[in-house]
């Protein structure tokens, strides 16, 4: 047999006192500290004497009076008292489905706060202006790059019909008085390490065009100055090509020697010639041993004796000796062949 649950104390008060609302019953129980008997006595006393505020009542709390309407003077001044808001919040917490708490009134800002907010708005506005100016400068820079690219093409087109191929493919000649026309960075394929760029150096030697492709980290490319400088270099001819009726000679493995009349290549080390002594402290090379008279004749007679010997049976004791004699016989045969 299931046990019946005891009724809630609030429902008991509502059943015992006719016309008692749920809010009054709950308030009586809160004021009585949850004790049903004290709540009954409190409800009876309140119904008998509605205006009685005797302090001897057990844990009776007077309901807070609603806040007075704010006057015009209070609207002008800032107040730190939040009792009204607390009361509204407590009322809404006890009855969440009832009236919601009132929104806080906007307080009048002081002059200092107004000045601070105005300064903040001005700062954000200036930052937006600077960002827009940066974007504008960026577009102008990109446009200038495009114009430079067009200028480079027009510069190369001015040599159309005048240039000719230099040397043959595979040669490595020295080029003198080569004027650098322009350097253009070109984006190549993208790999696992990121984007790859190459720089195209275009030189003019008289009416002839020479081009060289270099990486961004090439040491020789860093020796070359700005466009307009005169360079002396050596390079291997890799191919001959034609672009817009302009014959172009392409080089690779370029070695820069002189830039604007100044030598930038390191001085090569002095090579030692045969029989030349570099310094007085160096030791002379040892002299050759003198030839012995009759040595060739004795070697020839010894070779004859070796070739005349008969074969010997090989066993464990004389195996090394026989192998040595066979090797000497082989050398003797070779020397005999050379004497013929």
């Amino acid at each position: 047999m299931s046990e019946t649950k005891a009724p809630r104390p609030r429902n008991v008060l509502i059943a015992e006192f006719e016309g008692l609302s749920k809010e009054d019953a709950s308030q009586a129980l809160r004021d009585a500290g949850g004790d049903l008997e004290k709540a009954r006595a409190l409800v009876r006393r309140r119904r008998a004497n509605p205006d009685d505020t005797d302090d001897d009542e057990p844990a009776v709390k007077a309901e807070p009076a609603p806040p007075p309407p704010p006057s015009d003077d209070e609207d002008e001044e800032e107040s730190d008292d939040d009792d009204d808001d607390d009361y509204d919040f407590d009322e809404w917490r006890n009855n969440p489905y009832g009236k919601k708490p009132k929104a806080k009134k906007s307080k009048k800002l002081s002059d200092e706060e107004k000045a601070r907010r105005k300064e903040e708005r001005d700062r954000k506005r200036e930052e937006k202006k600077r960002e827009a100016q940066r974007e504008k400068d960026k577009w102008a820079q990109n446009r200038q790059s495009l114009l430079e690219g067009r200028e480079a093409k027009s510069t190369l087109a001015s040599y159309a019909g005048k240039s000719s191929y230099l040397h043959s493919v595979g040669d490595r000649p020295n080029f003198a008085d080569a004027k650098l026309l322009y350097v253009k960075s070109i984006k190549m394929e993208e790999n696992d390490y990121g984007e790859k760029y190459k720089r195209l150096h275009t030189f003019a030697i008289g009416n002839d065009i020479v081009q060289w492709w270099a990486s961004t980290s090439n040491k020789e490319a860093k020796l070359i100055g700005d466009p307009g400088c005169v360079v002396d270099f050596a390079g291997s001819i890799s191919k001959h090509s034609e672009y817009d009726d302009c014959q172009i000679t392409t080089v690779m493995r370029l070695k820069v020697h002189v830039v604007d009349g100044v030598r930038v290549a390191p001085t090569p080390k002095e090579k030692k010639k045969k029989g030349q002594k570099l310094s007085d402290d160096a030791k002379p090379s040892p002299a050759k041993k003198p030839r012995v008279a009759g040595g060739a004749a004795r070697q020839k007679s010894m070779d004859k004796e070796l070739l005349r010997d008969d074969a010997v049976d090989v066993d464990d004791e004389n195996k090394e000796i026989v192998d040595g004699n066979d090797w000497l016989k082989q050398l003797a045969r070779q020397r005999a062949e050379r004497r013929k």
Side-chain angles (χ1 to χ4, degrees):
M1 184 176 180
S2 61
E3 298 180 359
T4 54
K5 294 183 179 180
R8 295 179 62 182
R10 185 184 67 179
N11 296 338
V12 172
L13 290 177
I14 294 173
E16 290 181 356
F17 299 94
E18 186 178 356
L20 185 65
S21 63
K22 290 183 179 181
E23 290 79 4
D24 295 339
S26 299
Q27 187 63 38
L29 285 170
R30 283 195 295 270
D31 294 342
D35 191 345
L36 184 58
E37 293 299 330
K38 291 182 179 181
R40 287 192 182 111
L42 184 58
V43 173
R44 292 192 192 99
R45 185 176 289 109
R46 286 180 177 175
R47 288 197 168 187
N49 301 316
D51 298 332
D52 187 9
T53 57
D54 189 3
D55 294 339
D56 296 337
E57 290 181 0
V60 176
K61 293 183 180 178
E63 294 184 3
S71 61
D72 296 338
D73 297 338
E74 291 178 352
D75 290 343
E76 300 296 332
E77 299 176 359
E78 294 186 6
S79 175
D80 297 334
D81 189 6
D82 295 330
D83 294 342
D84 299 341
D85 298 333
D86 296 341
Y87 169 68
D88 292 338
F89 177 77
D90 292 338
E91 184 180 5
W92 175 78
R93 182 180 60 183
N94 296 331
N95 186 15
Y97 298 102
K99 187 178 180 181
K100 292 186 178 180
K102 297 179 182 178
K104 291 184 178 181
K105 271 195 170 183
S106 58
K107 300 175 183 180
K108 186 177 180 181
L109 300 176
S110 61
D111 295 339
E112 292 78 4
E113 182 65 18
K114 288 181 180 179
R116 188 189 66 80
R117 293 192 180 187
K118 184 177 182 302
E119 183 180 355
E120 183 70 17
R121 288 193 301 270
D122 294 342
R123 186 185 62 79
K124 290 182 179 179
R125 192 179 298 111
E126 290 297 329
E127 182 64 27
K128 287 183 179 179
K129 288 182 179 179
R130 287 194 294 269
E131 184 67 25
Q133 185 64 31
R134 283 195 292 268
E135 290 293 330
K136 186 177 180 181
D137 295 342
K138 185 177 179 181
W139 281 106
Q141 185 178 3
N142 293 340
R143 184 176 181 275
Q144 184 66 24
S145 300
L146 293 174
L147 292 177
E148 289 177 358
R150 292 176 184 175
E151 183 181 357
K153 288 184 178 179
S154 63
T155 302
L156 193 62
S158 63
Y159 290 86
K162 301 178 182 179
S163 63
S164 59
Y165 298 132
L166 299 177
H167 304 279
S168 301
V169 176
D171 295 345
R172 187 175 176 80
N174 291 321
F175 298 91
D177 299 332
K179 182 181 179 181
L180 180 62
L181 296 180
Y182 61 86
V183 179
K184 184 166 60 175
S185 292
I186 300 176
K187 181 180 178 181
M188 310 300 288
E189 71 278 359
E190 187 172 351
N191 52 25
D192 296 339
Y193 299 97
E195 296 178 348
K196 185 178 180 181
Y197 289 84
K198 280 192 174 182
R199 289 176 180 166
L200 177 62
H201 298 72
T202 302
F203 302 91
I205 304 176
N207 292 327
D208 302 326
I209 298 297
V210 178
Q211 288 186 342
W212 172 51
W213 291 90
S215 63
T216 55
S217 59
N218 190 283
K219 295 181 179 179
E220 297 296 325
K222 295 178 181 179
L223 298 176
I224 301 175
D226 298 329
C229 65
V230 180
V231 186
D232 294 353
F233 58 87
S236 301
I237 309 297
S238 60
K239 69 175 181 177
H240 290 151
S241 59
E242 188 172 346
Y243 179 77
D244 287 346
D245 296 332
C246 181
Q247 294 181 352
I248 300 173
T249 303
T250 306
V251 299
M252 62 180 182
R253 298 199 306 273
L254 187 138
K255 181 67 176 177
V256 180
H257 296 157
V258 179
V259 177
D260 288 335
V262 180
R263 183 174 181 83
V264 295
T267 304
K269 294 183 180 179
E270 182 183 1
K271 293 184 179 179
K272 178 183 176 182
K273 295 182 181 179
K274 187 175 181 181
Q276 179 184 5
K277 188 172 66 172
L278 294 178
S279 62
D280 297 335
D281 299 334
K283 294 182 180 180
S285 58
K288 294 183 179 180
K289 294 183 179 179
R291 296 176 61 87
V292 179
R298 285 197 300 272
Q299 184 67 52
K300 185 175 181 180
S301 61
M302 290 175 62
D303 292 343
K304 288 182 179 180
E305 292 293 333
L306 285 172
L307 296 175
R308 195 181 298 117
D309 291 343
D310 298 332
V312 181
D313 296 335
V314 181
D315 54 14
D316 295 340
E317 294 181 358
N318 62 355
K319 183 176 183 307
E320 295 182 1
I321 299 174
V322 172
D323 292 342
N325 289 337
D326 290 343
W327 179 68
L328 292 175
K329 287 182 181 180
Q330 185 178 357
L331 293 178
R333 292 190 188 96
Q334 293 176 359
R335 285 191 291 269
E337 291 292 333
R338 289 196 295 270
R339 293 191 192 100
K340 290 181 181 181

